[in-house]
Amino acid sequence: MSFAVYKNKPFARFARKAGIDDAVLFETARLADEGVIDADLGGGVIKQRIARPGQGKSGGSRAIILFRKGNRAVYIYGFEKKDLANIERRELEAFRELATVVLGYTETEMAKFIEAGVFFSVLPPKEPTYAQKNSQ
């Protein structure tokens, strides 16, 4: 099984409004798969900073990702640092429960959810990113 990246509908809406394209999302997930994780929240949940277009990561967007190394990353919730410092404990517990379910789906089940519009595939960029070029 290869590493796959997805986003749910609410996150897709957030990313569109924030001007974050799929190439940036894929690169962020790829880096997490290589071990560059901003915060491991446990139970298959990580928090990653996402650079805003033309800016750095520090004041930008944050993403909650359901994550299993070498398998799958599912962007589930996005927020701006200026709007929310962190998620609440009850939200984290809900994300952990969701991670258990979503990360347990087979590829066939994920394909059905994609067909139903619950999840969307995040495809790798057509051109290698700067980070990918320099890591070779």
Side-chain angles (χ1 to χ4, degrees):
M1 180 184 307
S2 62
F3 185 68
V5 182
Y6 306 96
K7 59 188 173 183
N8 67 2
K9 192 179 251 182
F11 189 90
R13 200 171 16 252
F14 164 80
R16 187 176 59 251
K17 287 180 183 176
I20 302 167
D21 65 22
D22 279 3
V24 170
L25 295 177
F26 191 89
E27 178 66 7
T28 300
R30 185 190 68 76
L31 288 171
D33 199 48
E34 289 182 1
V36 181
I37 295 174
D38 293 324
D40 186 340
L41 305 177
V45 180
I46 63 172
K47 180 171 75 171
Q48 290 290 91
R49 295 179 300 165
I50 302 174
R52 290 170 168 250
Q55 299 177 9
K57 290 182 179 181
S58 64
S61 302
R62 304 294 188 259
I64 300 297
I65 305 170
L66 310 180
F67 178 76
R68 182 169 294 140
K69 183 171 178 50
N71 178 266
R72 182 178 297 156
V74 182
Y75 286 88
I76 208 81
Y77 180 69
F79 58 97
E80 299 296 335
K81 183 179 179 186
K82 66 180 177 61
D83 297 333
L84 179 67
N86 218 332
I87 59 173
E88 295 178 14
R89 173 148 295 292
R90 64 180 173 74
E91 291 172 312
L92 175 56
E93 290 170 9
F95 288 138
R96 287 177 179 159
E97 288 177 22
L98 187 60
T100 300
V101 174
V102 173
L103 297 175
Y105 289 147
T106 65
E107 288 183 37
T108 303
E109 289 170 317
M110 284 302 289
K112 288 179 183 176
F113 285 118
I114 289 167
E115 191 175 308
V118 174
F119 295 115
F120 304 95
S121 291
V122 176
L123 302 175
K126 292 182 184 5
E127 295 287 322
T129 64
Y130 178 79
Q132 290 170 326
K133 288 179 189 174
N134 289 325
S135 69
Q136 298 174 358

